[in-house]
Amino acid sequence: MTTPKIDLTNVLPFCRELLEEAGEIALSYFRRELAVDNKLEEGRFDPVTRADREVEAFLRKALHKHFPDCAVIGEEGGVTPGTSELSWVIDPIDGTKAFISGLPTWGMLLGLKQGRQLLAGMMYQPFTGEYFVGSTAGAFLHHGEQRRVLQTRQGTSLAEAILYCTHESMFDGPENLAAFRRVADRVRLQRFGGDCYAYCMLALGRIDLVVEDTLQPYDIMPLIPIIEAAGGVVTDINGGPADEGGFVVAAANAALHREVLDVIREK
Amino acid sequence: MTTPKIDLTNVLPFCRELLEEAGEIALSYFRRELAVDNKLEEGRFDPVTRADREVEAFLRKALHKHFPDCAVIGEEGGVTPGTSELSWVIDPIDGTKAFISGLPTWGMLLGLKQGRQLLAGMMYQPFTGEYFVGSTAGAFLHHGEQRRVLQTRQGTSLAEAILYCTHESMFDGPENLAAFRRVADRVRLQRFGGDCYAYCMLALGRIDLVVEDTLQPYDIMPLIPIIEAAGGVVTDINGGPADEGGFVVAAANAALHREVLDVIREK
């Protein structure tokens, strides 16, 4: 691991303030009537709210101002190249379907990379006021004045595990869906829903597994440092890095992660 | 409708205080390690936490003290008969699977009936501090110092609807599951998860439909007055009263409710 070319001691508190400010924008649209566009021309329903666009525009502008040499990669605005190895990854509202349904299980994601090395990740839920952060300095949940160390559940086997996944419709083709269902058939409890909130509950030690597909890089990259710093393992379907998205296996511990990959590889 | 044999003007604020106090008990167990029992000998995983039992014991004791002539019906403690027509219905923690997973989409339910007439219903979510209440006095969401009138979405057709259901495994047999899927195939957006929280989002005008099966009376009765007072319709699969549970169709408006029952009756 190369030395980060940025001092996270100052950067992380700045990011938290930024997300809290952006959270006010998101909350101004939460549970209010708003125009819901359909990003895809046809097929799957993928709402993009004005909140999504405004939150990302706010974050991009602030990050560009304070870190002009960093690239910025966001769901709405695409890639703005930088002159350093550092790049910010933004998902302004992860879980837009939960957002439009009024549920609090969405979140705002912000991550920082140096090349392919993940330096830090953050999830902020402005309705509940929960801020999850992970970096080499550790993984924490801040809630109001409280700070709690995040720690995944250790020693849970597949048969004892709680598995989350946002929705089965996210699996790309029958093989990937069958792989998910093989895992789902062997756990103690399988539930749908959750989006980024489920990954944070994995870091908090409440959930043991999240298995999802067709993730975008910004859906998952900011969550990986939180889970890893809490003791969990996140990879793609082949056990490689998951920061580019696709089929992702997040597990509370390494033994459970191996069990899941073995089940996925069965035919 | 006969005149209620109880003055709700005083009773409802008392109930809110009671639920807030009981919420402290629930929160003392939320996101902490606790023994999760398996209520069923084998088969489906149905956790009952100590929180569940303690919350219900607290509510039963307080209700019995203040309303000694009322019956009390609860998930954990069964039926305590009363000498009047009035009965309290308690689900101490609706959404225990969300609770043990750390998600905030569970709630504490309390309802009041006079014979089969539903007088009032309440849902309290202590982590977010949201209190939903419905009676002939109207339907409201109290959140901190804010009070918001609950109003379901009017004029939404089935093709435009957002449909929630906790999990497909709740459907009793292939016919009921097929009926649910016929509805799910025609909506704009279908999501799983939510438990009582989804019904409250229906009352808040964010979700249009909840279709579920194998509900117990205490899972649904306290939610019906909230939804009805907000402009929604809740019935069983045949269009009859839903307060005894079973297959339940909750819809944001009467036209949408008719559309769903028609689709359910197709073969």
Side-chain angles (χ1 to χ4, degrees), chain A residues 5 49 59 61 110 129 132 162 184 212 223 248-250 262-263:
Chain A
K5 292 183 176 171
T49 61
L59 291 173
K61 191 176 169 185
L110 182 59
F132 298 81
I162 298 179
E212 300 200 311
L223 297 162
V248 170
V249 177
D262 285 347
V263 172

Side-chain angles (χ1 to χ4, degrees), chain B residues 20 33-34 42 47 52 62 68-69 77 129 138 151 154 156 161 187-188 197 200 205 207 231-233 236 241:
Chain B
E20 285 175 349
E33 298 313 321
L34 43 82
E42 51 187 354
D52 233 346
D69 58 340
Q151 172 67 60
Q154 298 300 314
T156 314
V187 298
R188 183 181 64 151
Y197 208 89
C200 291
I207 288 173
V233 179
D236 70 6

